Amino acid sequence: MPASGPSADDLLVLLEVARSGRFTRAAETLGLNHVTVSRRVAALERALGGKVLVRATGGWELTPLGQRAVTAGEHLAGVLRELTADPHAGTEIEDVVRMSATDAFATFVAAPAAARVHGAHPGVCVEIVSATRRATQHRSDLDLEVVVGEPRVLRAEALRLGTYALGLYAAPRYLRRHRAPTTTAELADHRLVYFIASMLQVDDLDVGRRDLPEMRDSVSSTNVFAHVEATRAGGGIGLLPTFLAARHDDLVRLMPDVVELDMEYWLVARADTLRRPAVAAVVAELRSTMATMVAALRTGAVHGPPEASGPLG
């Protein structure tokens, strides 16, 4: 058993390391130096009798003990905010919310939603990291993750945000050189524009190989916007989100009654993180934005990002 309890200051230092993922960034935020932050974390580990952080690619990740300590640190930070708040002032939220999302979601859902959150709560900063991958179980530098496909996570909440569709598209210039396919068998005569199979981290997005195995690759990329542009340039038949393809008049939908693949967006976060007012505001606006885009996400019927709407609109 540890000889004494953890220091409140050390818990707050760990909380900042967990939010940023790096000692140096936490030190800058706290006005300390890197060595002091490292010493504070080491002191906390001695007091708790175990490791709270482990090194990982791109930063530090919390251990189960570290997650418990961060939860305590978040409660402590909330109490301190209430104690130091001006009782005559409003209840303005001040916080940084960092989230990851796929390229298309980040651009057309998360970015406008974040702008509306900031408009309603100027003290809230939303940082958006573009990434197409599985939900991570212990990533310490993210508050929210938006992924494709229902995630399997422990010690976290998973919320379904909505559905979008993938369809086959080609450019007129491509169709002038190649006969448009009308059956799945005829797809074998065409090349596919889609994700790089060997680098794809999301099982649900592997539909290009699972549902269209007869098609060989032409141009492949880890970025969905590259898929759109390669298809527009005549590089092959693109398997594209309908809500992205519909923004371009020079893309022709092929075999819509035969090939339409439904994908789901899910949001992942720890339960204690969801209780932070700033995080709750971002989640509410993401869900509101998705609700306004139901038709566009499924059919691509609406051009351009949604107008401000919902509770923050």
Side-chain angles (χ1 to χ4, degrees):
M1 294 289 293
S4 60
S7 160
D9 286 341
D10 295 346
L11 285 172
L12 294 176
V13 168
L14 177 65
L15 177 60
E16 192 56 46
V17 173
R19 288 175 175 173
S20 66
R22 297 181 182 278
F23 283 10
T24 52
R25 190 177 298 161
E28 292 173 0
T29 302
L30 295 169
L32 304 172
N33 60 52
H34 175 274
V35 174
T36 300
V37 169
S38 180
R39 287 175 178 169
R40 289 282 182 85
V41 170
L44 180 62
E45 290 179 332
R46 287 194 298 272
L48 295 175
K51 289 288 185 181
V52 296
L53 292 169
V54 293
R55 189 178 292 278
T57 302
W60 293 89
E61 292 183 355
L62 293 167
T63 65
L65 178 61
Q67 291 174 347
R68 290 168 50 201
V70 163
T71 298
E74 287 174 337
H75 289 317
L76 175 60
V79 170
L80 292 176
R81 281 195 298 269
E82 292 180 5
L83 184 63
T84 58
D86 183 350
H88 303 293
T91 56
E92 178 56 45
I93 306 171
E94 291 194 10
D95 202 352
V96 177
V97 179
R98 177 173 291 180
M99 65 176 294
S100 70
T102 62
D103 295 314
F105 190 98
T107 301
F108 294 110
V109 181
R116 288 192 287 274
V117 170
H118 179 72
H121 305 288
V124 175
C125 170
V126 183
E127 299 178 348
I128 304 171
V129 179
S130 292
T132 302
R133 61 189 177 203
R134 299 184 186 92
T136 52
Q137 305 236 3
H138 304 296
R139 192 172 182 84
S140 61
D141 60 340
L142 293 171
D143 299 305
L144 302 171
E145 293 181 274
V146 176
V147 298
V148 174
E150 184 173 2
R152 298 179 179 87
V153 291
L154 301 173
R155 296 179 293 276
E157 302 286 336
L159 308 175
R160 182 180 175 278
L161 293 176
T163 303
Y164 71 98
L166 294 175
L168 293 176
Y169 291 84
R173 70 174 72 181
Y174 178 86
L175 297 176
R176 285 193 291 268
R177 302 194 312 267
H178 305 274
R179 181 182 175 183
T182 57
T183 66
T184 54
E186 291 177 0
L187 288 174
D189 298 327
H190 298 268
R191 294 297 186 99
L192 180 68
V193 177
Y194 198 55
F195 286 100
I196 303 172
S198 62
M199 299 183 68
L200 188 59
Q201 300 182 36
V202 181
D203 294 339
D204 283 47
L205 286 174
D206 200 26
V207 291
R209 280 79 198 172
R210 187 170 64 245
D211 290 36
L212 305 169
E214 64 276 12
M215 297 186 72
R216 293 178 294 166
D217 292 336
S218 60
V219 180
S220 53
S221 172
T222 58
N223 187 305
V224 70
F225 293 111
H227 304 168
V228 173
E229 295 307 314
T231 305
R232 294 179 68 200
I237 294 179
L239 183 59
L240 308 175
T242 57
F243 72 94
L244 290 188
R247 298 169 185 272
H248 301 283
D249 294 334
D250 55 353
L251 286 176
V252 179
R253 181 81 184 266
L254 303 175
M255 303 165 54
D257 296 331
V258 178
V259 180
E260 181 167 295
L261 307 172
D262 287 342
M263 300 284 112
E264 290 186 336
Y265 284 127
W266 286 74
L267 182 144
V268 179
R270 298 201 318 270
D272 53 292
T273 299
L274 290 170
R275 288 193 291 268
R276 283 166 43 198
V279 173
V282 171
V283 172
E285 187 59 24
L286 289 174
R287 300 182 87 166
S288 175
T289 302
M290 287 292 291
T292 68
M293 296 180 67
V294 170
L297 289 171
R298 289 302 304 273
T299 67
V302 178
H303 288 254
E307 297 297 326
S309 60
L312 301 180

